[in-house]
Amino acid sequence: MSAAGVALMLGGAGIVLAASPAQAAEVSYRTECIPPPISGLPPVQGTTKVEITAPAEAKVGDEVEVVWKFVEAASKNPDIIDLEKDTVKPTGTLRAAGAQTADVAMEGSRTNPPIPKNSPMKLSDMKGKIKLTKAGEVTLTPDAYNINVSKPMSTDTKCTPKETVKAGATIKVSDGGGTSGGTSGGTSSGGTTSGGTTTSGGGTTSGGPTSGGTSSGGTTSGGGDGGRSDFPGKEVAVTFACKSPGPASINSKVTINAKKNGGSYDLVVKTAKGVMNSPAALPAGALKPSMAVLLGGVDKGTVPVTGPANKDPLEQGKPVDLPDMTGTYKPGASGKSTLSPGTLTIDVTLGGQKIGIPCTVKGSAAVSLELDTAAQPGGASGGDSSGGTTSGGLAQTGAEDNGALRALALVAGTVILLGGAVFTFTPWRRLRGIR
């Protein structure tokens, strides 16, 4: 940037332009960046390198423009998602000291090239204005900054210096007889407000756990049920450990109920109300639960059950009631079979991005239901029935989809999101990019 060009960078009615050449200085400082809460990631330590450009000289009464250029962001865009063009916006603060003290609000534009995974962050230059009110030297020092990403949902990463930062520029202000006074500052600090709908709603209301009946099933071997068709399970307490960026754990009561349907059983799995808090403001249809019901006794494998997506928008941090999850169990063996809660998966879909957060059972889950079953062709132990998978697999739940987990690893980010110069977070566990 030429000295003359910078000196005349500012254009606007009523603004006095600095006549002296501009000066630019690079500053490097250790930085700590806090990923969005939804990411579940710890703070990131990195180094920020910026170049501050300001007029070398000016007069009292001048309002001058200052430019903050990111030479190097604190970290790369991690292996989460490719950031789209024009989705990243930085804002920050310059500290003025010396002849006058002020916080200069700096704001960049939401203009960036596409930023692939595992590549350096590209942040636009930030600009701000300061009106000089006193003669003397005024130093300008970079301070905290914020990175806002607008897609697939609005998230912010806040970065602050972790050491004393050197001044990036010095303006020599002479008493030119100009008007004094006026407030320092300039463009209002920014960053877009985090997005997502905020209307209340708690997911689809599902009945809380039903304390249903005893866990024993029919009493006649070989699948005899004495004419019974309904088999209520008992309520069992379960602790689920979720992968980042999901909640650390979920504690819930789970009940597995069954209704005989020919040689198979229609299952209904209920969880407690308010089983988890929404990781973000989510629109209707964004969050959907599923579970792999674990088989035991004479049978083996898992039975996938799924629930519908939330009917109403969800507020960030508010309790969510998971809807009832349903599926069909086709027995693969004859005798006493047990059904217990297994891996719970929370799928979040936003803006074409799908996030799968698996929550595994801590320890051994208690048996919720016991059935006296008769083997059916293609049943659970046999392997290829839609009613179950062999060897405890989760093929039909998506919980073992490494692509989904890698794509989510933060965000969500349940979701989503991404932090700025420090985009080293992983949304509610790695966003899956579905293009």
Side-chain angles (χ1 to χ4, degrees):
M1 185 177 296
S2 69
V6 175
L8 297 176
M9 185 180 297
L10 189 62
I15 296 178
V16 179
L17 302 179
S20 64
Q23 35 121 22
E26 184 176 303
V27 180
S28 176
Y29 55 96
R30 296 196 314 271
T31 308
E32 179 180 75
C33 294
I34 308 298
I38 191 174
S39 72
L41 291 184
V44 175
Q45 310 298 326
T47 299
T48 299
K49 293 182 181 180
V50 302
E51 185 178 88
I52 305 300
T53 301
E57 298 179 356
K59 296 179 180 180
V60 171
D62 286 352
E63 186 177 46
V64 299
E65 184 175 71
V66 183
V67 179
W68 170 326
K69 178 181 179 65
F70 284 95
V71 177
E72 182 179 314
S75 73
K76 298 190 302 182
N77 179 24
D79 184 18
I80 300 171
I81 64 170
D82 296 329
L83 299 180
E84 297 180 18
K85 182 177 183 293
D86 299 340
T87 59
V88 181
K89 177 178 180 177
T91 56
T93 301
L94 271 179
R95 301 288 186 191
Q100 73 182 69
T101 59
D103 288 346
V104 184
M106 307 295 292
E107 184 172 359
S109 59
R110 197 176 295 280
T111 53
N112 60 276
I115 306 175
K117 297 186 286 285
N118 290 319
S119 65
M121 289 301 302
K122 301 294 183 182
L123 305 176
S124 65
D125 294 350
M126 298 193 295
K127 298 179 181 181
K129 300 170 188 173
I130 179 172
K131 186 163 187 177
L132 303 171
T133 59
K134 295 181 181 179
E137 289 192 347
V138 177
T139 60
L140 300 172
T141 303
D143 198 59
Y145 60 93
N146 181 79
I147 308 297
N148 176 266
V149 177
S150 60
K151 289 183 179 181
M153 63 182 294
S154 182
T155 56
D156 292 284
T157 293
K158 301 181 183 300
C159 302
T160 55
K162 299 306 291 183
E163 63 177 325
T164 301
V165 184
K166 295 180 181 180
T170 301
I171 304 174
K172 293 183 179 180
V173 184
S174 61
D175 187 357
T179 58
S180 61
T183 58
S184 62
T187 59
S188 60
S189 65
T192 57
T193 58
S194 60
T197 56
T198 57
T199 56
S200 62
T204 56
T205 57
S206 69
T210 58
S211 60
T214 61
S215 63
S216 62
T219 57
T220 306
S221 63
D225 54 27
R228 296 175 59 189
S229 61
D230 293 319
F231 299 89
K234 68 178 180 180
E235 182 182 84
V236 295
V238 185
T239 298
F240 297 95
C242 301
K243 293 200 174 191
S244 174
S249 63
I250 292 177
N251 297 310
S252 179
K253 300 292 182 63
V254 178
T255 307
I256 302 173
N257 300 317
K259 184 179 182 66
K260 194 164 186 182
N261 184 359
S264 300
Y265 296 85
D266 295 331
L267 302 183
V268 177
V269 178
K270 296 177 178 288
T271 58
K273 290 190 175 182
V275 68
M276 57 179 283
N277 292 332
S278 178
L282 300 176
L287 186 149
K288 184 176 181 179
S290 62
M291 180 183 286
V293 175
L294 184 62
L295 299 176
V298 299
D299 216 343
K300 65 179 180 179
T302 59
V303 180
V305 293
T306 59
N310 57 303
K311 293 189 304 183
D312 303 309
L314 305 178
E315 288 190 64
Q316 181 174 353
K318 294 298 182 65
V320 174
D321 298 338
L322 297 182
D324 292 351
M325 293 169 279
T326 60
T328 301
Y329 166 42
K330 181 182 290 186
S334 298
K336 299 289 186 182
S337 299
T338 61
L339 289 81
S340 305
T343 298
L344 173 67
T345 300
I346 307 296
D347 288 323
V348 177
T349 302
L350 283 173
Q353 307 289 334
K354 185 176 181 181
I355 307 162
I357 301 104
C359 300
T360 56
V361 177
K362 285 187 177 180
S364 299
V367 172
S368 175
L369 181 63
E370 183 179 87
L371 298 171
D372 194 358
T373 59
Q376 302 295 311
S381 292
D384 60 0
S385 165
S386 62
T389 61
T390 61
S391 303
L394 301 181
Q396 297 186 48
T397 68
E400 288 187 342
D401 186 340
N402 288 334
L405 299 185
R406 278 184 54 76
L408 181 64
L410 193 278
V411 133
T414 279
V415 180
I416 311 157
L417 350 187
L418 304 140
V422 72
F423 277 78
T424 305
F425 58 85
T426 323
W428 239 49
R429 220 227 183 251
R430 286 203 184 240
L431 289 171
R432 171 193 231 160
I434 300 180
R435 297 298 180 209

